[in-house]
Amino acid sequence: MATRMDLDSELVHESIDHPHVRSDLCLITKGQPFRGRVYSHRRRNNRQVTSPVSAATISASLRREVLVFFEGIERFRQRLAADETLCGISIYVTDPQVTEAVADSVDFLWIDLEHAAMGIEAMRGHLLAARSRRCPVVVRTASSDIASIKPILDAGAPGIVVPQVTSAAEVQHVVDACRYPPQGKRGFGPFTPTDYGRQEEGYVERANDAVFVAVMIECVEAVDAIDEIVAIDGLDSIVIGPMDLSGS
């Protein structure tokens, strides 16, 4: 994509190359209406043919670009199922350039919201950087509360790790909070993952299938309930927290 801005006329011009669509878009700022020309280029009888393309056709052609929210985590799941050993890195700082710098050198990223001085706003920057590199991401939440889980998923996190669970009932609550009905009880508000409402068709099913849910075993109560916990449908993984577990 090439972009040019004329500061005097405040005109933004974008040329977008796509396997199916080539477009020249002009956008006038200060609330002026969008004006653009979109053309499809194809050959007919060895002759180049140019014709207008509807907005619906563009949306369909670019739909696969929106699904990058799930590409990384689905590949991550497939590699785990194939018994691969994956190496990731924990992100404790707020600067998303760190994620951009390391994403191509690791198998996954672990963004920490439990111990790090980081909020949802900084996490969103890391998610954007990771998606641009198709890198799988899991986010460690602060707790198992819905208020902790929901904004992380709605911001586009494809996977979560919930710390300090103590029982199978709590883990079931976590699994339900990560999936939409009828599989779970997640409320609907995924503005970022649905491209701000443009790509809602099929989203619920894809999100329910793709979301990666893990919990941390860090206390004796969780150890005592481990057989019940790992039997919960929809739980993808457990993570051992040796430091907290040693003091439990």
Side-chain angles (χ1 to χ4, degrees):
M1 178 184 293
T3 304
R4 185 184 75 249
M5 176 174 285
D6 184 337
L7 296 179
D8 294 330
S9 61
E10 294 191 326
L11 172 67
V12 177
H13 179 275
E14 294 186 338
S15 297
I16 303 174
D17 288 318
H18 188 271
H20 306 296
V21 175
R22 185 179 187 86
S23 64
D24 294 294
L25 307 178
C26 295
L27 173 64
I28 308 300
T29 59
K30 291 188 176 179
Q32 297 300 313
F34 166 81
R35 303 182 186 280
R37 302 183 310 282
V38 182
Y39 302 99
S40 173
H41 296 277
R42 64 190 187 280
R43 298 195 68 82
R44 179 182 299 168
N45 297 328
N46 293 321
R47 185 167 55 89
Q48 186 76 15
V49 177
T50 302
S51 59
V53 177
S54 69
T57 300
I58 297 171
S59 177
S61 298
L62 298 179
R63 177 180 294 274
R64 64 187 181 88
E65 301 298 329
V66 178
L67 299 181
V68 299
F69 283 95
F70 305 111
E71 287 180 3
I73 204 68
E74 289 176 339
R75 187 171 63 254
F76 177 72
R77 190 191 302 277
Q78 291 166 1
R79 295 182 66 187
L80 287 177
D83 291 330
E84 291 189 44
T85 298
L86 307 182
C87 295
I89 189 171
S90 296
I91 303 294
Y92 290 92
V93 297
T94 58
D95 189 347
Q97 191 168 4
V98 173
T99 288
E100 184 180 48
V102 302
D104 287 342
S105 300
V106 297
D107 296 312
F108 69 95
L109 296 167
W110 169 300
I111 300 175
D112 187 37
L113 298 191
E114 182 190 18
H115 293 294
M118 188 188 319
I120 295 294
E121 294 81 4
M123 180 204 70
R124 285 169 57 91
H126 287 296
L127 293 178
L128 287 168
R131 281 199 299 274
S132 72
R133 302 302 179 102
R134 304 295 197 270
C135 184
V137 175
V138 293
V139 177
R140 178 158 64 174
T141 68
S143 73
S144 63
D145 293 340
I146 290 179
S148 176
I149 295 172
K150 186 185 296 186
I152 291 174
L153 295 177
D154 286 350
I160 65 167
V161 179
V162 176
Q164 298 287 345
V165 298
T166 60
S167 67
E170 184 178 7
V171 175
Q172 184 66 65
H173 158 80
V174 169
V175 170
D176 289 344
C178 291
R179 290 182 172 87
Y180 298 106
Q183 286 94 331
K185 300 178 181 179
R186 179 181 172 184
F188 194 82
F191 299 112
T192 306
T194 60
D195 191 24
Y196 302 93
R198 299 183 186 94
Q199 304 291 345
E200 290 185 355
E201 183 180 353
Y203 164 76
V204 169
E205 293 80 8
R206 184 76 181 272
N208 280 349
D209 290 341
V211 65
F212 190 88
V213 184
V215 296
M216 296 193 69
I217 306 300
E218 302 180 274
C219 64
V220 294
E221 292 86 354
V223 172
D224 291 340
I226 192 63
D227 290 337
E228 297 174 70
I229 289 173
V230 298
I232 292 174
D233 187 35
L235 179 67
D236 295 294
S237 178
I238 60 169
V239 180
I240 306 299
M243 296 302 292
D244 286 342
L245 187 57
S246 68
S248 176

